[in-house]
C-alpha cells in the first residue's frame, strides 16, 4: 500500500500541494484535475524527485532509495538517457532492477518495431514516448506511475499504446484468475472466502473503443467478458455531467451558478 500523508509542496510563494493525503491500494487510479493543479508535482514527491513537507510511505514504512525499484515512472518529459540505445537501456535496467521483464521488453520492442541500436535521443517523439512506456512496463515494479505519456503521439501510435495497455490489463486479470483457481486469490465477505472468478472483476473504460480493446485482449486469453453500456462514451451520461458540476464547484466555490448546479444534482440527494 502506497500512502501520501499530509504532503505540502511550495515553489517560492506558490503552493502546488497543501496538506494532501491519499492512499493507493492495489489497483488502477487516475488523477483528474486542471492543468497546474499539482498532479505532476505529486508524482515527483512520491518518487522523491523534489523536497516537500509530509511523508510518503510504502506498506506503512517511510519510502527509501531501496524501495525505488518497486516504482516505475513514464512521463511525457521523458526519463531515459538520450545518448544510450534501447539495448543499452535494457542492459542497464536488467542490472539494476532484479524483476526486469526481458520477455515483455522483447515483445514490446518488436510490436512497436523500434530500432535497438540507435540512440534514443535520435528517435522520433512518438518513438521516444513508446520507449518511455516500454521501460515503465518492463521494470518489474509494483507501482507504475504515468504522467501523460501519450502526449504528442499521432492517432495510430496512441491507439497502439492503448492496445498495449489493454493487453497488460488482460494479463493481470489472467494472473488473478489463475491465482483464484489455485485458491491463492480470495474475496472475503465476513468470515467466508471465495476464489476470485471472472464475474468478480470489472474494468472501467471511457468509451466503446477502449472497451473493444480490453475485450479483444481478454478474448486472446480465453477470458469471457461483456460490455455493460449502451453508450459510446461515459461522458455522455447524466452522472458524468453531474460529476463535472461537482468538480467545478470544488474548484471554484465562489461561482454561485456552478455551486447551485452541484447542490441540485441527484448525486448529493438534496431537495
Amino acid at each position: 500500500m502506497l500512502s501520501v500523508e499530509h504532503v505540502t509542496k511550495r515553489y517560492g510563494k506558490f503552493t502546488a500541494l497543501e496538506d494532501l493525503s491519499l492512499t493507493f491500494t492495489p489497483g488502477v487510479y487516475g488523477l483528474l484535475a486542471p492543468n497546474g493543479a499539482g498532479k505532476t508535482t505529486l508524482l515527483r514527491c512520491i518518487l522523491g524527485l523534489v523536497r516537500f513537507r509530509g511523508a510518503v510511505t510504502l506498506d506503512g514504512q517511510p519510502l527509501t532509495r531501496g524501495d525505488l525499484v518497486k516504482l516505475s515512472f513514464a512521463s511525457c518529459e521523458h526519463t531515459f538517457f538520450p545518448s544510450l540505445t534501447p539495448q543499452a537501456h535494457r542492459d542497464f535496467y536488467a542490472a539494476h532492477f532484479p524483476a526486469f521483464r526481458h520477455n515483455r521488453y522483447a515483445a514490446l520492442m518488436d510490436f512497436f518495431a523500434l530500432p535497438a541500436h540507435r540512440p534514443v535521443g535520435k528517435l522520433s517523439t512518438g518513438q521516444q514516448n513508446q520507449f518511455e512506456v516500454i521501460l515503465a512496463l518492463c521494470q518489474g515494479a509494483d507501482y507504475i506511475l504515468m504522467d501523460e505519456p501519450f502526449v504528442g503521439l499521432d492517432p495510430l501510435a496512441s491507439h497502439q499504446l492503448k492496445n498495449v495497455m489493454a493487453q497488460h490489463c488482460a494479463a493481470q486479470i489472467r494472473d488473478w484468475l489463475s491465482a483464484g483457481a489455485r485458491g491463492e486469490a480470495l474475496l472475503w465477505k465476513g468470515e467466508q472466502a471465495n476464489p476470485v472468478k471472472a464475474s468478480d472483476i470489472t474494468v472501467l473504460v471511457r468509451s466503446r473503443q477502449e472497451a473493444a480493446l480490453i475485450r479483444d485482449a481478454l478474448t486472446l486469453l480465453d477470458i469471457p467478458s461483456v460490455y455493460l453500456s449502451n453508450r459510446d462514451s461515459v461522458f455522455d451520461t447524466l452522472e458524468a455531467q453531474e460529476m463535472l458540476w461537482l468538480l467545478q464547484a470544488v474548484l471554484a466555490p465562489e461561482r454561485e451558478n456552478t455551486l447551485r448546479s452541484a447542490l441540485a444534482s441527484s448525486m448529493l440527494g438534496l431537495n
Side-chain angles (χ1 to χ4, degrees):
M1 181 171 65
L2 184 65
S3 297
V4 175
E5 302 171 2
H6 304 289
V7 166
T8 295
K9 173 59 183 176
R10 294 187 174 89
Y11 297 98
K13 296 182 179 180
F14 175 74
T15 300
L17 299 171
E18 185 170 10
D19 196 29
L20 178 64
S21 295
L22 294 169
T23 297
F24 301 100
T25 55
V28 179
Y29 297 85
L31 299 177
L32 304 177
N35 291 337
K39 301 184 297 296
T40 297
T41 296
L42 172 60
L43 296 180
R44 289 175 175 172
C45 290
I46 292 174
L47 293 164
L49 299 178
V50 295
R51 295 178 181 272
F52 60 91
R53 287 171 45 196
V56 176
T57 63
L58 184 62
D59 297 330
Q61 300 298 321
L63 198 64
T64 66
R65 291 179 62 89
D67 293 320
L68 292 180
V69 297
K70 301 177 182 178
L71 305 174
S72 66
F73 183 49
S75 168
C76 59
E77 297 178 355
H78 299 150
T79 60
F80 52 70
F81 304 103
S83 61
L84 294 186
T85 65
Q87 181 169 312
H89 278 88
R90 180 203 64 189
D91 296 340
F92 177 84
Y93 270 60
H96 290 82
F97 302 111
F100 184 77
R101 301 187 176 185
H102 292 272
N103 292 338
R104 176 180 292 177
Y105 176 87
L108 290 175
M109 287 292 292
D110 182 64
F111 178 83
F112 289 116
L114 296 182
H117 302 287
R118 184 185 305 171
V120 179
K122 295 185 178 181
L123 301 180
S124 70
T125 299
Q127 290 176 319
Q128 290 177 350
N129 289 347
Q130 290 168 347
F131 188 67
E132 179 86 357
V133 173
I134 288 175
L135 290 178
L137 293 179
C138 297
Q139 180 182 312
D142 296 331
Y143 297 87
I144 302 175
L145 311 180
M146 293 193 174
D147 185 17
E148 298 185 350
F150 301 153
V151 169
L153 289 182
D154 60 75
L156 178 59
S158 179
H159 178 79
Q160 289 177 323
L161 273 179
K162 289 180 180 178
N163 193 38
V164 169
M165 298 300 290
Q167 294 174 4
H168 182 71
C169 176
Q172 181 64 71
I173 291 174
R174 176 203 57 201
D175 293 344
W176 287 337
L177 295 177
S178 297
R182 298 191 302 268
E184 298 174 359
L186 305 173
L187 289 176
W188 290 83
K189 185 176 182 181
E191 297 182 357
Q192 182 179 358
N194 296 303
V196 172
K197 54 184 183 297
S199 59
D200 294 321
I201 299 174
T202 299
V203 180
L204 300 180
V205 296
R206 297 176 298 178
S207 65
R208 190 181 298 273
Q209 181 189 43
E210 291 183 359
L213 292 175
I214 294 290
R215 181 196 60 215
D216 292 345
L218 290 170
T219 298
L220 290 175
L221 299 177
D222 296 322
I223 301 173
S225 63
V226 61
Y227 180 52
L228 298 178
S229 176
N230 60 355
R231 299 178 182 272
D232 290 331
S233 172
V234 297
F235 299 111
D236 295 334
T237 64
L238 175 62
E239 291 83 357
Q241 180 61 61
E242 291 188 343
M243 178 60 73
L244 176 61
W245 290 336
L246 287 172
L247 293 175
Q248 289 175 334
V250 171
L251 181 64
E254 71 279 2
R255 297 179 181 175
E256 184 176 345
N257 289 340
T258 302
L259 185 59
R260 286 179 178 273
S261 296
L263 292 175
S265 67
S266 60
M267 298 182 71
L268 292 182
L270 300 177
N271 294 324

